[in-house]
Structure formats: structure tokens, C-alpha cells
């Protein structure tokens, strides 16, 4: 199968979300019949996806790199470290739970 990771940035700047999903090696077919091959598919094309850092499916979590809520340190490094921790804690188990047939 194909494991997907998509970044969506805050249009106002300062933050982003990371969504993960999986799809079969053949890609996905949209509800209106358009086929998206595996080399073009993104997490946004898959109905069942998850936002890293969210407590459960359908919840929201933003990674911030502006100064909002930060008391010290490099905000870019902090955001990157937070993403990495969620990749290990959530993404690997999420991806391993998919049947790719």
C-alpha cells in the first residue's frame, strides 16, 4: 500500500496540520469516478485520514511555529520535534492497522 502524509499550512501563517492516510497500491477512485493513481494521491483524497496530535479521529491539532504559546526556545525546532514525536507515537500504529488489499 501507500502511506500518505500531507502538510496543510495556516493561510495566516504560523502553524500547520499534518494529516496521514493510507491507500491501496492502485491509488483511489473518487466518488464521482475519477481515478487518482498512487503517484498523485494525497491524504486529502482519502476519506479515512487522521490529524497527527489529535486525541481522536475527527479532532483537530495545530503545530505552531509562531510565538503564540511559546515561552522559550526555537519555535521551528519545537514544532519539528513535536511532529516527530507524533510520527512515532501515532502515525506508525495508524499505518500498520490498514489492510492494503
Amino acid at each position: 500500500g501507500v502511506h500518505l502524509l500531507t502538510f496543510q499550512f495556516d493561510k495566516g501563517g504560523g502553524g500547520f496540520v499534518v494529516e496521514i492516510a493510507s491507500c491501496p497500491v492502485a491509488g483511489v477512485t473518487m466518488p464521482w469516478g475519477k481515478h487518482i493513481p498512487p503517484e498523485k494521491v494525497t491524504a486529502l483524497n482519502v476519506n479515512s485520514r487522521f490529524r497527527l496530535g489529535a486525541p481522536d479521529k475527527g479532532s483537530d491539532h495545530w503545530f505552531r511555529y509562531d510565538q503564540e504559546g511559546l515561552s522559550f526556545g526555537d519555535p521551528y525546532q519545537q514544532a519539528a520535534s513535536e511532529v516527530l514525536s507524533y510520527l512515532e507515537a501515532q502515525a506508525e500504529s495508524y499505518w500498520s492497522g490498514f489492510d492494503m488489499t
Side-chain angles (χ1 to χ4, degrees):
V2 180
H3 298 307
L4 305 160
L5 179 125
T6 299
F7 290 83
Q8 298 173 3
F9 288 87
D10 183 349
K11 69 179 180 178
F16 60 94
V17 297
V18 180
E19 290 193 326
I20 58 174
S22 292
C23 75
V25 294
V28 297
T29 301
M30 303 307 289
W32 56 90
K34 179 181 179 182
H35 178 74
I36 302 176
E39 66 272 8
K40 301 271 186 185
V41 72
T42 71
L44 299 174
N45 301 123
V46 179
N47 285 335
S48 181
R49 57 185 187 262
F50 180 77
R51 282 196 173 176
L52 286 186
D56 53 44
K57 191 173 178 171
S59 295
D60 205 12
H61 180 80
W62 284 84
F63 297 95
R64 304 299 312 179
Y65 55 88
D66 53 12
Q67 294 302 314
E68 183 178 311
L70 297 176
S71 57
F72 62 91
D74 181 346
Y76 307 107
Q77 181 63 43
Q78 288 179 5
S81 294
E82 187 181 6
V83 170
L84 287 175
S85 71
Y86 283 118
L87 280 173
E88 293 174 3
Q90 292 179 325
E92 292 298 330
S93 63
Y94 183 88
W95 285 325
S96 67
F98 275 87
D99 178 13
M100 296 294 178
T101 57

